[in-house]
Amino acid sequence: MKKSGYLLFLVTFILIGFGLVSIYSTSAIFANEKFGDSLFFLKRQLLWALLGSIAMLAAWKIKYELIRSLSKPLLFLTMILLALVLFPPLGREAGGARRWLRIGGFSFQPSEVGKLALLIYLSDYLTRKQSKIKKFSQGFLPPILVLGGMVGLILLQPDLGTGLLLGVVSLSLLFIAGARITYLTGLVLSSLPALYFLVVGVGYRQRRILAFLDPWKDASGVGYQITQSFIALGSGGMTGRGLVWSRQKLFYLPASYTDFIFSILGEELGFIGTASIVILFLVFLWAGIRIAYRAPDLFGYLLGVGITMTISLQAIINIGVATGSLPTKGIPLPFISFGGSSLLFNMIGVGLLLNISRRRKV
Amino acid sequence: MITRWHKFRTFLILLTLTAGLIYLLQRLYQIQLVEGETLRAKAKRQHQIDFRLSPRRGTIYDRNKKELAINIAVDSIYANPAKIRPVEGTVRKLSALLDISPVVIEKKLKSDKAFVWLARKVKKGLGAKVKQLSSAGLNYVEEVKRFYPKGKLAAHILGFSGMDGKGLEGLELYYDRYLRGAPGWDQSEKDARGREILSFRNEYSAPINGLNLVLTIDEVIQNIAEQELEKAFQKSKAKGATIVIMEPGTGKILALANRPTFDPNSFQDYLPSQHRNRAVTDGFEPGSTFKIITAAAALEEGLFQLEDKIFCEEGFYRLAGRTIRDVHPEGWLTFKEVVEKSSNIGAVKIGMALGKEKLYRYIISFGFGARTGVDLPGEGKGLVRPPRSWSKLSLGSIPYGQEITVTAIQLVSAVSAVANGGVLMQPRIVDSIINKEGEVVKKFVPRPLRRVISPDTAKKLTDILVGVVDEGTGKAARLKEYRVAGKTGTAQVAGVGGYLPGKFIASFVGYLPADNPQIAILVVVDEPQGTYYGGTVAAPVFRRVAEQVMAYLKMTDNRN
């Protein structure tokens, strides 16, 4: 393992550490009120982190060649899970969307497997079709159809945020692999009307856009979450109120231990805390890309870039939402937000990156 | 094969993402450091809650520490409508318990707020009963309410305080700054559901309870005065009536009452005119009782001796084109008889002998035309014009108490000065302010304002006033056991364009025992129906009150 691998490993666990502390701090009062156990969320996240560590270790240590062979079965499995999640007994509905699959006592998000499955499939496909990548029907079209199918299923949940994330990462991989810019821009342009319809046609998304443009205009209505996020961040100042001393987590800021955990972190740890998180993700990004640059083959390269990009982009979107730089999207902050499947698959992703970094270029 | 091109294109994406993260750093800097101050203020505004801790209002006692105004514990009942199921049954039960119309309750329970008051300051114990109906949706808090245990007794003295515990009338208003105390504060923070977070409680200051008042009023005397006044008020079907009892030597008010009156426990059910303490706010033409002042001035100036003769013109006296009449026409009367028989013409002649300036000086000296400074709100001055604006007719009116207005408190104070040997005392209604341990915080000692006549003049005047009761117009005020000094008054009521026919103010002012006065009493009956003379309407009230009060004082003196 190279220097970048160590760095990536270290950064990942620092972020997970930040996450566990923040989850406890933000959820304790709510958990105590709802479940009579202030450790309710922390315990669950710890369990997932443990599970994630094992899975990460497995992804790290399995035979490198095995990863590629998982491409098709994993894609197939994902599609089935994404289809199943849309149907009631299996798919659990929460907040008007079916994103969770209940298996036994656990529930997890198939779209998280989907991210990994799609990255492995694309990396494998683009490596195999390296020579035909400039062609349309033999090169460009098949992965777009797979992507389209998966994003389509995800949009049915509906989960526009994850759909967009997958789209952006996939097209970036196609771009890196050398697909024609004309095809890519053509695709983007032709999907714009659909995107417009998806945003303007759905009431809550349209309101979110309006809230993004001027949050203080209706601070007690559509702008509530974002303005409460500003208040949390702003009252943190330079050094913050100190761990556990957030006021905004006292039900002022909804989703304070999931999608808006960063704002509470900013209130408790101040600019020093938030800047540290951003810098940690910056280090993660650069270390991940460095691992990819030294990958043994194009498959590892593309997978490495894909995983690094997916995780970094989620961080950017999440923090972008918290700071009002992007309209509200339900994207968790990798390694930090409460949420088992997200943590598990991000850790598997890190395991795969470490696996890639383990191999020398042949 | 990983080519340079792959790496180049990856690098473009890497730069884009890096730029994104750096932009976020800049955003965080902006929000947390540049706008931090503003946002912190916003945060504080939404988190902070201040609980006002209400102080207990001071108690008002009579001079024997009997409670006249107290605080009682009451329940205030509120609901969280969303948690009340089923609504219909609960509405019925609540309506029965609280005695509020089901329509009103149903409307309140249909509110989408999480908190609505159902009933404020209702009987203690009702809250617990209501809570049993729905422990989730109904609850109550204990509050205190001002309560006047004696009902209407001394209503105009006490006044009342509002729902928020602020004095609005009477002593409640005048001594509000002593009675109200100071609220305490509990500065804390709340969560988004409005609940206080105890670990963030940062400042607490205990409320300071109000101080208690001890009045000069005696509840028993007040009760006697009110009962007799009420009887006379009812019997005479008068428009209004006032009684004031003062201790002449000290200026302490022992009783003060007006009709019409009100119940301070439900003051909002009465008209503001019924709240008004006429004894201190309203001026009236005193009529013949004012001859005491005219006579005092003439005696003090040495212009007349008691037996000096004055010709009373057989009841008709023309002055500056107007005829002054006496009810009972007389020829020659002594100075003493002029007062006893209440001759207006005689009084005018005494006034003319004094002249404008001297008469005016004594009127002012006796405290008319200015506030007495009694510790009650809204005191009026009465109307006394300076001599330069008197007309030719003025000397033909003022000596017998017309063309001038006085307040009851002024008149009783002036007569008290005659009673006590010539010193005008500051009238007072609060004796002391005490704290909850009963220690005196502030004591109001009797305060002489000035000597208005010599003891000799006072004595002569008392002899005359005893004559009024023994032989003159005030016979109805006579008592077996005590020599009573007093004077009747029957004033016409002035209206637009002159005096109104058939409208009179009947009054009697006097004191006893004449040689060592313990009480001075003024009775004023405004526009009585039927008989209207001070000697027939007011003097009997004086006698009945004087009799009972003296018996009571004798009893308490013996006991001590």
Side-chain angles (χ1 to χ4, degrees):
Chain A
M1 198 166 79
K2 307 224 175 64
K3 224 164 65 184
S4 315
Y6 282 119
L7 201 57
L8 193 83
F9 183 83
L10 195 67
V11 165
T12 301
F13 277 92
I14 292 173
L15 287 170
I16 291 171
F18 257 116
L20 291 171
V21 172
S22 303
I23 283 166
Y24 175 68
S25 171
T26 49
S27 72
I29 291 170
F30 173 68
N32 187 41
E33 201 153 280
K34 192 164 183 189
F35 304 105
D37 175 12
S38 56
L39 297 173
F40 185 89
F41 291 98
L42 180 66
K43 282 191 213 156
R44 267 151 189 77
Q45 191 73 355
L46 264 172
L47 193 70
W48 280 105
L50 202 70
L51 217 65
S53 301
I54 296 164
M56 181 172 143
L57 198 69
W60 181 359
K61 296 300 176 192
I62 55 164
K63 223 167 157 286
Y64 177 74
E65 287 72 23
L66 195 66
I67 302 169
R68 213 173 155 176
S69 63
L70 283 172
S71 162
K72 281 192 175 122
L74 206 55
L75 187 66
F76 186 66
L77 178 74
T78 301
M79 291 298 200
I80 289 172
L81 291 175
L82 282 172
L84 283 177
V85 80
L86 298 174
F87 297 100
L90 288 163
R92 188 164 65 85
E93 194 178 325
R98 295 184 186 283
R99 295 178 186 173
W100 286 268
L101 205 58
R102 262 196 104 76
I103 297 167
F106 282 101
S107 50
F108 85 110
Q109 288 183 289
S111 56
E112 292 293 341
V113 204
K115 286 175 197 165
L116 216 55
L118 189 65
L119 290 178
I120 295 171
Y121 161 76
L122 278 177
S123 305
D124 172 51
Y125 178 88
L126 293 172
T127 308
R128 277 189 286 114
K129 304 282 172 132
Q130 226 183 128
S131 51
K132 296 177 180 165
I133 195 65
K134 302 260 182 234
K135 300 199 163 144
F136 184 77
S137 56
Q138 287 174 333
F140 186 72
L141 194 60
I144 291 303
L145 289 177
V146 172
L147 173 69
M150 189 180 286
V151 168
L153 283 170
I154 288 172
L155 287 180
L156 284 175
Q157 295 181 354
D159 186 353
L160 183 60
T162 305
L164 281 173
L165 178 75
L166 289 185
V168 170
V169 173
S170 303
L171 294 190
S172 301
L173 284 184
L174 281 164
F175 167 69
I176 290 167
R180 281 186 195 278
I181 303 294
T182 45
Y183 294 163
L184 286 168
T185 42
L187 181 69
V188 170
L189 288 176
S190 62
S191 64
L192 280 181
L195 195 65
Y196 176 83
F197 172 76
L198 282 172
V199 173
V200 178
V202 180
Y204 75 90
R205 288 187 187 134
Q206 197 185 359
R207 282 195 296 277
R208 281 177 174 182
I209 298 285
L210 292 175
F212 163 68
L213 295 173
D214 188 1
W216 294 104
K217 190 177 162 195
D218 185 12
S220 57
V222 292
Y224 182 75
Q225 206 167 22
I226 183 64
T227 52
Q228 290 300 326
S229 172
F230 285 153
I231 288 173
L233 286 169
S235 47
M238 177 58 94
T239 52
R241 291 187 192 268
L243 261 181
V244 315
W245 289 105
S246 159
R247 267 63 164 173
Q248 288 296 95
K249 69 186 178 190
L250 300 168
F251 315 107
Y252 287 100
L253 183 57
S256 62
Y257 54 92
T258 54
D259 294 349
F260 277 87
I261 197 166
F262 185 78
S263 314
I264 301 296
L265 210 140
E267 186 187 3
E268 295 191 341
L269 302 179
F271 181 69
I272 292 174
T274 54
S276 303
I277 301 284
V278 175
I279 289 167
L280 282 170
F281 277 110
L282 206 54
V283 173
F284 184 94
L285 171 66
W286 283 70
I289 298 297
R290 201 178 137 91
I291 287 169
Y293 271 14
R294 291 164 187 209
D297 55 11
L298 187 60
F299 170 76
Y301 178 88
L302 290 173
L303 185 61
V305 170
I307 291 168
T308 307
M309 214 188 138
T310 307
I311 291 174
S312 306
L313 200 55
Q314 285 188 77
I316 290 172
I317 294 171
N318 180 280
I319 299 171
V321 169
T323 55
S325 320
L326 290 169
T328 307
K329 281 273 141 278
I331 297 280
L333 186 58
F335 308 119
I336 293 180
S337 287
F338 175 79
S341 4
S342 164
L343 181 64
L344 177 68
F345 287 97
N346 283 331
M347 287 180 86
I348 293 173
V350 173
L352 292 176
L353 276 170
L354 293 174
N355 193 324
I356 296 163
S357 81
R358 199 160 58 112
R359 293 295 296 255
R360 295 190 170 279
K361 220 180 269 190
V362 283
Chain B
M1 262 294 283
I2 306 166
T3 64
R4 278 171 180 276
W5 278 106
H6 285 126
K7 289 190 174 175
F8 173 70
R9 288 185 288 241
T10 305
F11 190 66
L12 290 181
I13 284 168
L14 177 66
L15 281 186
T16 311
L17 293 179
T18 304
L21 284 166
I22 287 167
Y23 172 75
L24 290 178
L25 274 179
Q26 187 274 329
R27 278 291 294 158
L28 287 166
Y29 174 83
Q30 175 73 20
I31 294 169
Q32 298 199 272
L33 302 178
V34 179
E35 294 167 18
E37 207 58 52
T38 337
L39 291 165
R40 255 193 299 284
K42 280 197 164 91
K44 195 173 175 193
R45 222 172 306 141
Q46 78 178 10
H47 300 150
Q48 191 165 304
I49 35 165
D50 292 333
F51 295 100
R52 187 180 183 277
L53 306 173
S54 297
R56 268 180 95 89
R57 203 168 167 79
T59 302
I60 302 178
Y61 299 103
D62 87 336
R63 65 173 179 175
N64 298 315
K65 299 277 176 70
K66 300 248 177 65
E67 289 168 338
L68 299 177
I70 57 172
N71 303 296
I72 51 167
V74 286
D75 289 343
S76 284
I77 298 161
Y78 61 91
N80 181 354
K83 292 196 172 161
I84 296 176
R85 294 287 174 271
V87 175
E88 292 77 22
T90 314
V91 167
R92 231 182 315 110
K93 287 177 198 157
L94 275 175
S95 169
L97 266 174
L98 299 174
D99 194 25
I100 301 174
S101 134
V103 184
V104 174
I105 291 180
E106 197 176 347
K107 203 178 156 201
K108 284 183 174 176
L109 293 188
K110 278 188 177 155
S111 156
D112 53 4
K113 287 185 207 146
F115 180 100
V116 286
W117 284 116
L118 290 180
R120 286 295 298 277
K121 300 193 174 183
V122 294
K123 224 178 89 203
K124 184 90 207 70
L126 207 51
K129 277 187 204 160
V130 167
K131 199 180 174 180
Q132 283 173 356
L133 297 180
S134 159
S135 58
L138 295 167
N139 208 346
Y140 67 99
V141 286
E142 262 189 21
E143 291 193 286
V144 292
K145 184 188 175 185
R146 198 62 160 166
F147 181 62
Y148 305 91
K150 309 287 157 49
K152 291 182 177 177
L153 187 87
H156 289 111
I157 299 168
L158 301 172
F160 46 82
S161 64
M163 188 65 104
D164 56 354
K166 192 174 170 342
L168 298 178
E169 274 290 356
L171 290 173
E172 294 274 33
L173 170 62
Y174 196 89
Y175 284 96
D176 191 46
R177 69 196 184 98
Y178 295 102
L179 289 168
R180 70 173 173 229
W185 292 98
D186 202 350
Q187 211 179 66
S188 193
E189 290 185 46
K190 63 175 196 297
D191 70 12
R193 296 170 189 172
R195 296 169 302 192
E196 189 197 0
I197 308 301
L198 285 171
S199 52
F200 292 153
R201 176 179 281 198
N202 32 31
E203 237 175 86
Y204 171 82
S205 64
I208 300 163
N209 288 337
L211 295 166
N212 308 320
L213 298 185
V214 178
L215 306 188
T216 59
I217 297 293
D218 187 303
E219 189 197 312
V220 176
I221 299 175
Q222 178 73 25
N223 207 11
I224 295 165
E226 297 243 12
Q227 277 181 9
E228 295 301 335
L229 190 71
E230 178 70 25
K231 271 190 240 167
F233 177 66
Q234 296 289 347
K235 199 178 150 204
S236 66
K237 298 190 177 66
K239 202 177 104 187
T242 293
I243 187 165
V244 183
I245 306 179
M246 183 177 272
E247 201 172 77
T250 58
K252 288 179 180 176
I253 298 168
L254 299 177
L256 183 152
N258 300 286
R259 290 294 177 275
T261 188
F262 67 100
D263 183 348
N265 289 312
S266 51
F267 65 89
Q268 56 277 65
D269 301 340
Y270 295 84
L271 300 168
S273 65
Q274 290 167 300
H275 297 157
R276 201 168 74 239
N277 187 0
R278 293 152 196 264
V280 300
T281 57
D282 290 14
F284 63 98
E285 292 197 32
S288 299
T289 51
F290 204 68
K291 288 172 186 160
I292 297 172
I293 309 305
T294 309
L299 289 172
E300 182 73 10
E301 290 295 311
L303 295 174
F304 291 91
Q305 292 305 312
L306 297 190
E307 302 309 321
D308 286 355
K309 298 277 189 188
I310 296 164
F311 183 58
C312 291
E313 310 282 349
E314 302 297 347
F316 293 89
Y317 182 43
R318 286 198 65 80
L319 181 76
R322 203 187 60 148
T323 306
I324 301 163
R325 290 158 201 273
D326 277 335
V327 181
H328 304 288
E330 301 283 353
W332 288 93
L333 291 178
T334 62
F335 181 88
K336 189 167 181 259
E337 285 167 336
V338 165
V339 183
E340 280 173 12
K341 297 188 191 300
S342 205
S343 164
N344 291 344
I345 297 164
V348 169
K349 291 205 166 171
I350 297 168
M352 281 170 22
L354 274 164
K356 288 183 186 180
E357 295 298 335
K358 278 184 185 159
L359 181 57
Y360 176 74
R361 216 173 58 223
Y362 279 91
I363 290 172
I364 296 303
S365 177
F366 269 104
F368 298 102
R371 293 187 183 93
T372 63
V374 68
D375 39 348
L376 282 167
E379 194 186 2
K381 287 188 203 175
L383 182 70
V384 179
R385 285 178 297 163
R388 64 184 145 77
S389 46
W390 290 13
S391 71
K392 282 177 186 159
L393 276 171
S394 296
L395 263 182
S397 307
I398 295 170
Y400 59 93
Q402 305 254 212
E403 213 181 280
I404 185 171
T405 69
V406 305
T407 64
I409 198 78
Q410 283 173 343
L411 189 56
V412 78
S413 300
V415 172
S416 289
V418 177
N420 70 24
V423 178
L424 186 68
M425 299 297 296
Q426 158 86 65
R428 286 231 71 96
I429 202 154
V430 172
D431 177 77
S432 54
I433 296 172
I434 60 172
N435 62 19
K436 82 171 183 288
E437 284 77 30
E439 296 159 350
V440 174
V441 176
K442 193 167 182 168
K443 173 85 184 167
F444 300 99
V445 290
R447 185 168 157 236
L449 294 172
R450 59 188 163 266
R451 174 163 288 284
V452 289
I453 48 172
S454 68
D456 184 51
T457 304
K459 193 174 173 313
K460 282 180 189 161
L461 209 48
T462 297
D463 286 343
I464 298 174
L465 295 175
V466 169
V468 171
V469 174
D470 285 349
E471 289 147 43
T473 52
K475 289 193 188 100
R478 219 151 78 187
L479 287 176
K480 271 189 210 131
E481 277 189 75
Y482 302 98
R483 284 177 73 220
V484 175
K487 182 74 195 80
T488 56
T490 310
Q492 286 179 282
V493 175
V496 183
Y499 291 99
L500 303 170
K503 293 201 169 177
F504 296 90
I505 295 171
S507 58
F508 189 92
V509 62
Y511 47 91
L512 71 162
D515 37 8
N516 178 28
Q518 281 182 270
I519 49 171
I521 307 174
L522 167 66
V523 178
V524 184
V525 182
D526 188 12
E527 295 183 27
Q529 308 279 303
T531 177
Y532 56 82
Y533 293 107
T536 53
V537 178
V541 179
F542 175 95
R543 178 176 53 74
R544 284 194 292 271
V545 170
E547 197 169 26
Q548 296 173 62
V549 172
M550 289 310 290
Y552 164 70
L553 289 177
K554 197 173 162 191
M555 191 184 77
T556 49
D557 276 358
N558 289 348
R559 206 188 299 153
N560 296 341

